[in-house]
Amino acid sequence: MSEDLLVVLGGILAAGVLFSFISGAVFFLSVFAFGVSYLSWLHRAVSNLRILTTTKFSPMGAVLFTCIPFVGYFLNYFIFSDMVKSQERYMRQKGILKERFPQRILNAWIIASLVLLVLVFVDPNQLGFLTFVSSTFDVDGKHAFQFLEKTLIVVIPILYIMSFSAYVKQERELFEIHTEALFQKRVDEAIRERDIMRAAEKIRKSQGMEKPETDQAGNLQAENRE
């Protein structure tokens, strides 16, 4: 029975290790895939935007700055803000801006990120956080601290997703209008080329009709001379 128990315990331990390995691998691959997808989008978005207007960051520069460990997370705020301002400036110049970008949401994202950074790396006792919470709300300061930290972990991605969605919506509207303008321009060029060809064809036909009359007049003059 002891040997059977050891086998069962070994199987449970092996299953736990295997499950942990698979979960870790899935999490790592998911994060990697998300990072590659986001950086690809960032490069494409800046490249498309620079076709229409100017930006402070180049496509590759935006990607490289974002990839800087730890600092890149906060640099992404300035990159994103510059993209928003450039896109809105161009849309305002063209008179196609329907709705302003919710900059306050993006600002709330960076502020919440900084607050979470302080909560993670700074002892709240040094800031008087626990004492303030306990005396003000009459609750356990440590529980309030943990609740705030967990709340920010949930709120920060939501704020960024809201900002990202608002930008992508404007980007889609901008390039739909830009694509329509390019299509109309190509149609106008095709019509102009067709009109030019028709005009050239008429000229050739008119020249072809005048030539026999000229030859006939020349033959009459030659007969009169004889």
Side-chain angles (χ1 to χ4, degrees):
M1 292 181 62
S2 61
E3 292 180 356
D4 293 338
L5 181 61
L6 290 175
V7 171
V8 172
L9 292 176
I12 294 174
L13 180 61
V17 172
L18 181 62
F19 177 78
S20 300
F21 174 78
I22 294 176
S23 300
V26 170
F27 177 77
F28 174 78
L29 291 175
S30 300
V31 172
F32 179 78
F34 171 78
V36 172
S37 300
Y38 178 79
L39 293 176
S40 299
W41 171 84
L42 182 63
H43 187 278
R44 178 190 60 79
V46 178
S47 299
N48 291 339
L49 195 56
R50 286 171 71 92
I51 295 175
L52 305 176
T53 183
T54 58
T55 58
K56 294 181 181 179
F57 299 91
S58 65
M60 187 55 65
V63 172
L64 292 177
F65 280 124
T66 304
C67 289
I68 298 176
F70 186 73
V71 180
Y73 178 86
F74 296 96
L75 289 178
N76 186 257
Y77 168 78
F78 298 100
I79 296 172
F80 204 170
S81 297
D82 178 62
M83 292 168 62
V84 169
K85 292 178 182 178
S86 299
Q87 181 170 269
E88 284 200 343
R89 182 175 63 249
Y90 179 82
M91 296 179 73
R92 192 180 300 109
Q93 291 174 353
K94 297 298 181 179
I96 57 177
L97 182 62
K98 299 179 181 178
E99 186 179 357
R100 293 293 303 275
F101 177 83
Q103 184 68 34
R104 62 184 180 277
I105 297 179
L106 186 62
N107 293 338
W109 166 74
I110 192 65
I111 293 172
S113 299
L114 292 173
V115 172
L116 180 61
L117 179 68
V118 172
L119 294 178
V120 171
F121 290 98
V122 178
D123 185 1
N125 289 311
Q126 298 178 357
L127 302 176
F129 175 79
L130 299 182
T131 304
F132 171 78
V133 171
S134 299
S135 59
T136 304
F137 300 100
D138 193 22
V139 296
D140 186 2
K142 291 184 178 180
H143 286 93
F145 172 79
Q146 294 174 357
F147 175 77
L148 178 59
E149 185 176 351
K150 293 178 181 178
T151 301
L152 289 175
I153 292 175
V154 175
V155 169
I156 288 173
I158 294 175
L159 292 174
Y160 193 84
I161 290 172
M162 293 173 63
S163 303
F164 179 81
S165 300
Y167 179 86
V168 171
K169 180 181 177 182
Q170 284 189 344
E171 181 187 38
R172 188 182 299 113
E173 293 175 355
L174 172 60
F175 278 91
E176 283 179 357
I177 296 173
H178 180 64
T179 302
E180 291 175 359
L182 287 178
F183 178 76
Q184 186 62 41
K185 182 179 179 181
R186 292 176 181 175
V187 170
D188 294 339
E189 290 177 353
I191 293 174
R192 185 168 58 253
E193 291 178 358
R194 186 188 62 184
D195 293 340
I196 292 173
M197 293 178 64
R198 287 181 176 179
E201 186 67 23
K202 289 180 179 180
I203 293 173
R204 286 195 296 269
K205 288 182 178 180
S206 63
Q207 290 178 348
M209 292 176 63
E210 292 175 357
K211 187 174 181 180
E213 293 178 359
T214 304
D215 293 340
Q216 185 176 3
N219 293 332
L220 291 174
Q221 290 179 0
E223 290 177 357
N224 291 334
R225 288 176 184 175
E226 293 178 355

